[in-house]
Amino acid sequence: MLQQVNGHGSGSAAHSGESLREDLQELLGGEVPPQQLNDLTKVNPVTLETVLRCLQARYMADTFYTNAGCTLVAMNPFKPVPQLYSPELMREYHAASQPQTLKPHIFTVGEQTYRNVKSLIEPVNQSVVVSGESGAGKTWTSRCLMKFYAVVAASPTSWESHKVAERIEQRILNSNPVMEAFGNACTLRNSNSSRFGKFIQLQLNGAQQMTGAAVQTYLLEKTRVACQAPSERNFHIFYQIYKGAHAEERVRWHLPEGAAFSWLPHPERTLEGSVGTSALLLGLPEDHLLETLQIRTIRAGRGQQVFQKPCSQAECNTRRDCLAKLVYARLFDWLVSVINSSICAAPDSWTTFIGLLDVYGFESFPSNSLEQLCINYANEKLQQHFVAHYLRAQQEEYAVEGLEWSFVSYQDNQPCLDLIEGSPVSICSLINEECRLNRPSSAAQLQTRIESALTGHPRLGRDRLSPEPSFIVLHYAGPVRYRTVGLVEKNKDPVPPELTRLLQQSQDPLLKVLFPADPEDKSQEEPSGQNRAPVLTVVSKFKASLEQLLQVLHGTTPHYIRCIKPNSQAQAQIFHREEVLSQLEACGLVETIHISAAGFPIRVSHRNFMERYQLLRRLRPAITPSPHGPCPDGGRSECPPCTEPATLQGLLQEILHALPAPLHCGRTKVFMTDSTLELLERGRAQVLEQCARRIQRGWRRHRCRTQARRRRAAVLIQAAVRSWLTRKHVQQLHAAATVIKRAWREWRIRMAFLASEELDGVEEKHSPHAPCSPGSSPLPPAQTRLQGAITHLWPLGLALANAAVGVHGFQRKLVVFACLQLPVGSPRSCAVQTAQEQAGVLSIRALPQGSIRFHCRKSPLRYADTCPGPSPDSVTGFNQILLERHRPGHV
């Protein structure tokens, strides 16, 4: 009984009689709905019942993927969900900084494997093991993963790389229907069950771009060609040919409408009813084919004499079935080789790979034979690989590293493997020994040998009520009863040499490729007695190929996807608890969740840890350095990585000072949980961001200083240029001003000279009429001022006299007085007279032609005491002004 569920005590007497389901209902009815639990490790407590209820709630909410620690659980929706596998969703998972934070999906596993390849952390090669019962969706999952890799493993900048990845993707996807047609069949549990295992190797170059692929197949169930279990069918290809052939093909292939065939269940036919058609289709002589099927050739004796022995009806049927299985197996291998030749890259063009393993799931039918024994044997080996990689290895490593660890009990299937393949005595060794003995095999005798040789084995059982000889193996997924009837014959898989030579003589082009003639082939008729060669049995070949596959898996980083079938009717929204529960028990999912939740799935060596996370000490404020403390500069300098646990522990405390998280330091490795790794990566990203910001600040400061220096230099250059231009302009203006001033001075001097010369000439001309003697007294001051005004300001008077009309009378006179600064006393004190006619002076006038020019003649100006009065009509210009000033009666 549970002691505590979500912090609520449940061990009281009031709840002692309640069932586990009621407790789980209380648990799942808490704050977090079960359909929102993305990881089954968060279910508390972890039991088959709680896990089952969580998966059921998520499945009914159309959430088909759930994390289970290191494993992804995939529920078959049994309905199309196109938006769940769209290219947009692929790109979203590929572009996410942390895909683990998104919803669980097979794209999360695909992106994790692809990033592991890019990180180049050993082991670089990755593998994805897709396991589950027949019909759980393994083939569909592998197909979606291939589509994802083809999308993300193409260069976004290289069109050629994108075309190559697209071509490989298309060829791989196009090969799937062909391989499923020849390798899948309808069984009791699945209408499209894979009857072979395949390992698809996606080849990547140094830039992690897809350059090619290769397909490797395992254990094709070729016995299905000649024999099927009740209510089961042959391979799909036979029904597809029969249904899809048009009229011409039916005639060529001898497929009349409504015909029944003995190998397409279940009419009975004799050998001679079909040998003619078979010989025609195989390109062989009918009599030769019939003779080979009916007569057995044996070499015996010291002289190796040749004997021909007629075969019984059962032996003829066996040889017929052997011929069919041989042709079909060669055809299937040829198809795989053709597919590989079209998608495989050159060995020097790829460096890493991602492997997808799609194998048949655990099988248990009412009648089980050698095929089911090999399939379940492969599942036992894969389960052991999973246990060794995630469960047992983790616990043993914790013990070696000195970590305090509460060991989780898990189901170890090594005893079952010892029963099947162990040495010196096992089921496989006993079956192979029966094949090597030169005696007819008996099913009861084989059962007796197995029971007597393996008596007391904990994994071997016996059904005493069974009507036929059989034995029971207690697999990790449950007990399975195997019939011993026909077990030895299937293991021998005899191929008479005369059948091979017969097919080498075929005229059919395809058979010539499948069975090439070997001139050096010295094989003779079937030997007998002591000359019999060691037989390479089906179990031996399958064991060898399985060991080769496991070696490949051991050299990679594995990832696991457990496919679950919610019901056997292949209907959507139906969840059968009993069927799902048996599958959870079969795959050991609960033990996986237990150890993943309680353990430390992330393991990093000391050196790698310090190289990656030593910079986290930058987050810690500088303190006084200790013997195990950071460097004297506050942790900014890089110290050499330490490998001593004591020293490392001190460094780890410094690193995690700002990031408290559950982290344990072992003798050689550092152990942490996913949450701790997330904190460390977040802190590392923060430090890198700080460093990036410092670099950016330094660059911006350098750029600003450089720009400031350039700006100052530009300002100085501009100032110098402007100064030079200004000086040049000022010099030009100064030179122009100098020229203007010089011209003005010259003109002013010339005008003054002309004016003075004109006045001097008038004085000289009228000087004889002057009554003044040399001793006479000087002129009065008023007359002296009037003479200066007349001499210097006569151009102004001329301008005023010719000004626009509008100033008359008193105002005009005031303007004249103000300009000439004449006294306003007695108007008669300064009489002005003009002697224009007497002196012969014409006039002074201005001609406004572009500029004011003065045309001067001898001035008629005379003082009143020396000049006679002129006629008013002949006075112009400045003289007129003066006359108006001194006219009698002027006020």
Side-chain angles (χ1 to χ4, degrees):
M1 182 60 63
L2 299 176
Q3 296 300 319
Q4 186 173 2
V5 178
N6 281 354
H8 302 286
S10 59
S12 62
H15 297 83
S16 59
E18 295 182 357
S19 64
L20 178 62
R21 177 169 298 183
E22 295 175 351
D23 292 337
L24 294 176
Q25 289 177 355
E26 181 184 355
L27 166 67
L28 297 178
E31 297 180 358
V32 181
Q35 62 269 17
Q36 296 183 7
L37 291 175
N38 292 331
D39 198 329
L40 295 178
T41 59
K42 295 186 167 89
V43 177
N44 187 24
V46 180
T47 63
L48 279 174
E49 184 67 20
T50 56
V51 170
L52 188 65
R53 291 182 60 85
C54 182
L55 290 177
Q56 182 177 8
R58 292 177 64 83
Y59 180 76
M60 301 308 293
D62 285 346
T63 306
F64 307 110
Y65 294 104
T66 308
N67 291 325
C70 55
T71 306
L72 178 68
V73 179
M75 303 288 291
N76 193 336
F78 288 126
K79 65 179 181 180
V81 192
Q83 70 275 8
L84 198 58
Y85 309 100
S86 62
E88 293 77 15
L89 192 62
M90 295 181 187
R91 286 188 284 269
E92 179 182 354
Y93 276 84
H94 180 57
S97 58
Q98 293 182 347
Q100 294 80 5
T101 60
L102 301 178
K103 292 183 178 180
H105 203 285
I106 55 175
F107 296 158
T108 307
V109 179
E111 181 62 22
Q112 183 179 359
T113 57
Y114 186 69
R115 294 190 181 187
N116 288 351
V117 172
K118 294 181 66 175
S119 66
L120 300 179
I121 299 177
E122 292 293 339
V124 179
N125 297 326
Q126 307 290 308
S127 62
V128 180
V129 181
V130 184
S131 62
E133 193 177 272
S134 179
K138 300 186 299 298
T139 303
W140 173 259
T141 300
S142 301
R143 191 183 307 167
C144 293
L145 283 174
M146 285 189 292
K147 182 74 174 178
F148 176 80
Y149 289 129
V151 171
V152 304
S155 174
T157 59
S158 175
W159 175 253
E160 184 65 25
S161 172
H162 182 74
K163 295 296 291 183
V164 170
E166 189 179 41
R167 174 179 59 84
I168 296 170
E169 170 211 354
Q170 195 62 36
R171 291 185 178 181
I172 292 176
L173 295 180
N174 290 342
S175 68
N176 278 333
V178 178
M179 298 188 68
E180 289 180 9
F182 283 87
N184 290 21
C186 178
T187 63
L188 294 176
R189 295 191 175 184
N190 185 11
S191 59
N192 188 33
S193 177
S194 297
R195 309 318 300 164
F196 71 101
K198 62 181 176 181
F199 182 75
I200 302 176
Q201 187 184 68
L202 303 178
Q203 301 160 347
L204 308 176
N205 59 12
Q208 289 79 47
Q209 301 170 1
M210 187 183 297
T211 60
V215 180
Q216 186 177 358
T217 60
Y218 301 93
L219 191 64
L220 174 68
E221 191 186 16
K222 57 185 179 181
T223 56
R224 184 171 290 269
V225 174
C227 179
Q228 303 88 32
S231 301
E232 291 193 356
R233 297 175 61 180
N234 210 324
F235 290 105
H236 293 331
I237 187 63
F238 297 107
Y239 304 91
Q240 293 170 353
I241 291 177
Y242 182 74
K243 186 177 181 179
H246 52 73
E248 182 182 354
E249 292 173 340
R250 287 182 178 277
V251 173
R252 187 169 66 252
W253 296 338
H254 298 272
L255 295 175
E257 290 284 352
F261 303 91
S262 61
W263 286 342
L264 299 182
H266 289 280
E268 296 293 338
R269 293 287 299 273
T270 61
L271 179 62
E272 295 84 359
S274 59
V275 67
T277 304
S278 301
L280 182 62
L281 294 176
L282 292 175
L284 295 171
E286 181 178 347
D287 55 348
H288 194 185
L289 174 60
L290 188 59
E291 179 184 357
T292 305
L293 294 177
Q294 292 179 339
I295 299 176
R296 177 183 178 187
T297 304
I298 303 175
R299 283 185 175 269
R302 294 183 178 179
Q304 293 293 306
Q305 298 179 358
V306 179
F307 299 93
Q308 290 186 344
K309 178 182 177 181
C311 298
S312 63
Q313 180 67 37
E315 291 176 341
C316 289
N317 292 337
T318 301
R319 293 169 74 87
R320 176 203 61 190
D321 296 347
C322 180
L323 178 65
K325 292 187 292 184
L326 179 61
V327 173
Y328 196 84
R330 290 285 184 96
L331 177 61
F332 188 80
D333 293 339
W334 175 79
L335 283 174
V336 174
S337 64
V338 171
I339 293 173
N340 284 334
S341 64
S342 65
I343 63 177
C344 190
D348 57 347
S349 64
W350 60 278
T351 57
T352 57
F353 70 86
I354 299 176
L356 300 179
L357 179 61
D358 178 12
V359 295
Y360 11 62
F362 186 83
E363 293 185 350
S364 178
F365 301 124
S367 178
N368 303 284
S369 187
L370 183 65
E371 295 81 13
Q372 284 69 42
L373 179 62
C374 293
I375 289 173
N376 294 337
Y377 167 52
N379 280 272
E380 290 281 356
K381 294 290 288 187
L382 293 176
Q383 177 68 13
Q384 185 192 43
H385 177 265
F386 173 75
V387 169
H389 189 269
Y390 279 108
L391 305 182
R392 184 175 60 196
Q394 282 190 4
Q395 294 191 0
E396 292 179 354
E397 189 174 20
Y398 297 155
V400 171
E401 292 288 335
L403 269 67
E404 296 182 0
W405 173 253
S406 176
F407 285 89
V408 177
S409 59
Y410 58 86
Q411 186 178 6
D412 190 2
N413 63 340
Q414 184 59 45
C416 185
L417 287 174
D418 294 338
L419 174 65
I420 298 175
E421 65 169 3
S423 179
V425 181
S426 63
I427 294 177
C428 290
S429 64
L430 293 175
I431 296 176
N432 288 336
E433 185 177 352
E434 285 291 327
C435 295
R436 287 191 295 266
L437 295 176
N438 187 18
R439 66 180 184 184
S441 177
S442 171
Q445 185 178 2
L446 178 61
Q447 176 188 3
T448 303
R449 288 200 62 188
I450 292 175
E451 291 178 354
S452 60
L454 300 172
T455 301
H457 198 283
R459 294 293 179 177
L460 181 65
R462 180 182 179 184
D463 186 5
R464 299 185 181 275
L465 300 178
S466 176
E468 56 183 357
S470 62
F471 61 92
I472 297 177
V473 177
L474 302 178
H475 292 282
Y476 76 95
V480 179
R481 185 174 64 89
Y482 298 98
R483 297 169 59 244
T484 58
V485 177
L487 199 63
V488 176
E489 287 74 15
K490 289 183 178 180
N491 189 38
K492 287 181 180 179
D493 193 20
V495 180
E498 55 267 24
L499 289 181
T500 304
R501 288 194 297 269
L502 173 66
L503 294 173
Q504 290 175 350
Q505 300 172 8
S506 172
Q507 300 303 316
D508 185 79
L510 181 57
L511 286 179
K512 287 183 178 181
V513 176
L514 300 181
F515 298 92
D518 189 0
E520 299 181 357
D521 187 9
K522 299 181 181 180
S523 62
Q524 298 176 346
E525 287 76 4
E526 182 180 351
S528 62
Q530 299 298 327
N531 296 325
R532 184 184 299 270
V535 178
L536 187 60
T537 62
V538 172
V539 171
S540 301
K541 291 187 291 186
F542 181 72
K543 183 178 179 181
S545 62
L546 189 59
E547 291 295 335
Q548 181 183 2
L549 173 63
L550 290 174
Q551 288 181 2
V552 174
L553 294 180
H554 283 303
T556 63
T557 300
H559 306 265
Y560 288 88
I561 299 178
R562 301 290 193 182
C563 298
I564 302 296
K565 183 169 62 173
N567 61 81
S568 57
Q569 290 78 25
Q571 296 181 1
Q573 293 295 311
I574 296 180
F575 192 91
H576 288 168
R577 297 172 59 89
E578 293 76 12
E579 296 183 12
V580 177
L581 188 62
S582 64
Q583 296 176 67
L584 294 179
E585 292 175 342
C587 64
L589 192 60
V590 176
E591 286 81 5
T592 303
I593 298 172
H594 267 302
I595 199 168
S596 299
F600 305 97
I602 309 299
R603 302 177 298 277
V604 185
S605 65
H606 291 174
R607 181 177 297 275
N608 292 339
F609 184 88
M610 291 304 301
E611 288 178 356
R612 185 169 182 84
Y613 300 113
Q614 182 172 294
L615 51 82
L616 291 180
R617 289 185 294 172
R618 295 174 181 264
L619 295 175
R620 183 171 175 267
I623 58 174
T624 304
S626 61
H628 304 304
C631 298
D633 61 350
R636 288 186 169 84
S637 64
E638 298 297 333
C639 298
C642 304
T643 57
E644 292 295 332
T647 306
L648 182 62
Q649 190 66 32
L651 294 176
L652 292 178
Q653 294 299 328
E654 296 178 8
I655 292 175
L656 299 178
H657 180 75
L659 298 171
L663 184 146
H664 298 272
C665 179
R667 295 187 176 93
T668 61
K669 296 180 181 179
V670 177
F671 296 82
M672 68 189 82
T673 61
D674 290 328
S675 59
T676 304
L677 180 63
E678 183 178 352
L679 287 175
L680 292 175
E681 289 295 328
R682 192 180 305 165
R684 184 173 182 269
Q686 181 180 353
V687 173
L688 293 177
E689 182 180 0
Q690 292 177 357
C691 296
R693 291 182 181 276
R694 291 176 183 173
I695 295 174
Q696 291 174 350
R697 284 198 301 268
W699 165 248
R700 292 192 186 101
R701 182 169 57 251
H702 168 73
R703 185 177 60 182
C704 291
R705 289 177 177 176
T706 303
Q707 291 178 350
R709 287 195 297 266
R710 291 178 179 176
R711 189 180 297 109
R712 286 195 298 269
V715 170
L716 292 176
I717 294 173
Q718 291 174 355
V721 171
R722 291 193 186 100
S723 176
W724 178 80
L725 291 176
T726 303
R727 285 197 303 269
K728 185 176 181 180
H729 183 63
V730 169
Q731 290 175 0
Q732 293 175 351
L733 293 178
H734 181 71
T738 303
V739 172
I740 293 173
K741 287 191 297 184
R742 186 184 304 115
W744 165 252
R745 290 192 187 104
E746 291 179 354
W747 179 82
R748 189 177 62 180
I749 293 173
R750 187 180 298 113
M751 292 297 103
F753 175 75
L754 292 176
S756 63
E757 198 170 288
E758 181 178 353
L759 294 175
D760 293 342
V762 173
E763 291 178 357
E764 291 177 358
K765 183 176 181 179
H766 296 279
S767 60
H769 302 282
C772 298
S773 60
S776 60
S777 61
L779 295 175
Q783 294 182 358
T784 302
R785 290 194 299 271
L786 179 61
Q787 184 179 2
I790 294 173
T791 301
H792 296 288
L793 299 177
W794 63 267
L796 179 61
L798 181 62
L800 292 174
N802 293 298
V805 181
V807 182
H808 300 283
F810 181 71
Q811 293 182 359
R812 183 182 182 91
K813 293 177 181 179
L814 288 180
V815 170
V816 172
F817 291 159
C819 293
L820 299 178
Q821 297 181 358
L822 298 178
V824 294
S826 175
R828 304 178 187 268
S829 59
C830 299
V832 180
Q833 296 181 358
T834 60
Q836 217 169 9
E837 294 181 354
Q838 294 82 351
V841 179
L842 297 178
S843 67
I844 298 176
R845 66 181 181 272
L847 300 177
Q849 298 178 359
S851 61
I852 299 176
R853 297 173 59 189
F854 296 95
H855 296 263
C856 303
R857 298 266 179 109
K858 291 186 178 180
S859 177
L861 301 179
R862 294 291 293 177
Y863 293 105
D865 54 354
T866 59
C867 298
S871 62
D873 298 332
S874 62
V875 178
T876 61
F878 192 37
N879 302 333
Q880 183 180 357
I881 298 174
L882 298 180
L883 289 177
E884 290 179 358
R885 167 70 177 83
H886 297 282
R887 182 178 301 171
H890 177 74
V891 181

